[in-house]
Amino acid sequence: MPRKPQYNIDLVLTLAIDIFLEHGYHGAIMDEIIFRTGFNRRGFYVEFGSKQAFLYKVLNHYQSKYLQELMKNLESKQGLDSINSFFTEYVSHVKGKGCLLINCITELGFDDETVRGVGRHYLDSLQIAFIGCLEKAQNLGQVQPHINIESTALQLTSYVQGFAVNAVLAGDTDELQLATQALLGPLAVKQ
């Protein structure tokens, strides 16, 4: 009869998010991963096989636990309100630490096809969600009727990436909230 694991995989993956956010992939050493997650080295390699395979599982967990939750704002397609809610929660999420997926894309995206693919899929999904919200906003008369929805959605997607990087530098300031207001303000119809 196989032994029952002595660890909680979801907890291990959640703990690893902070390690990779703090050190990046290359800077995260196995001794710290093992120590902070409570895994033993043998168990780690039996469960995950390699540090790289472990990162892929951590990224998958991060997306399902955090990024998909943030996307629910956009998926509700409530126009400009959904976009505002997304950016408010996203800024709160990345404040002072950045976004694990965007960090991995910038560190590994040129060399790691899996990270590049995961990142491309997320950014495409984000852009499509922005398009849906902008179309709804235009139908509701919330945004300027002349905006190009596809290019505006691409711009918003690019800002998400930039916000993730700037969040590390901005720390606990309100810079990203101000940037969000400056970004979304010109889109709205003046009432």
Side-chain angles (χ1 to χ4, degrees):
M1 177 189 298
R3 289 181 51 181
K4 185 177 175 185
Q6 300 296 314
Y7 45 84
N8 176 329
I9 291 290
D10 285 340
L11 177 60
V12 168
L13 296 173
T14 299
L15 293 170
I17 290 168
D18 287 335
I19 298 167
F20 287 121
L21 279 170
E22 291 167 20
H23 303 291
Y25 174 74
H26 293 297
I29 59 172
M30 286 306 301
D31 287 341
E32 183 171 5
I33 292 170
I34 298 299
F35 175 75
R36 287 179 57 183
T37 62
F39 247 103
N40 68 46
R41 193 170 296 275
R42 182 182 178 285
F44 178 90
Y45 287 107
V46 167
E47 183 69 39
F48 301 109
S50 69
K51 180 180 163 185
Q52 186 175 25
F54 179 61
L55 175 68
Y56 299 155
K57 294 229 187 237
V58 172
L59 281 173
N60 185 44
H61 178 74
Y62 180 78
Q63 283 191 279
S64 65
K65 185 170 181 165
Y66 298 104
L67 297 182
Q68 286 178 2
E69 285 299 310
L70 293 168
M71 290 282 290
K72 287 181 180 178
N73 289 303
L74 299 175
E75 291 165 357
S76 71
K77 294 185 181 160
Q78 298 301 310
L80 209 50
D81 292 340
S82 292
I83 295 171
N84 274 311
S85 294
F86 169 81
F87 273 102
T88 298
E89 289 186 27
Y90 187 75
V91 165
S92 176
H93 172 71
V94 299
K95 196 172 196 177
K97 61 183 177 187
C99 169
L100 180 62
L101 180 57
I102 301 301
N103 292 0
C104 286
I105 293 168
T106 58
E107 181 181 4
L108 304 169
F110 284 112
D111 302 321
D112 191 311
E113 199 170 308
T114 300
V115 169
R116 188 171 48 253
V118 169
R120 181 77 264 157
H121 177 73
Y122 169 68
L123 295 174
D124 288 346
S125 298
L126 193 59
Q127 186 173 354
I128 290 166
F130 280 134
I131 288 170
C133 289
L134 289 166
E135 287 174 342
K136 177 71 171 191
Q138 212 168 42
N139 291 336
L140 294 171
Q142 296 174 332
V143 296
Q144 303 293 334
H146 65 277
I147 68 167
N148 180 311
I149 289 177
E150 287 79 15
S151 65
T152 302
L154 177 59
Q155 181 183 25
L156 293 173
T157 302
S158 296
Y159 272 95
V160 169
Q161 297 169 66
F163 278 23
V165 174
N166 284 331
V168 176
L169 303 174
D172 287 331
T173 69
D174 293 331
E175 286 179 29
L176 297 178
Q177 284 87 355
L178 294 171
T180 301
Q181 292 167 3
L183 171 67
L184 299 177
L187 295 175
V189 171
K190 305 298 181 220
Q191 302 199 15

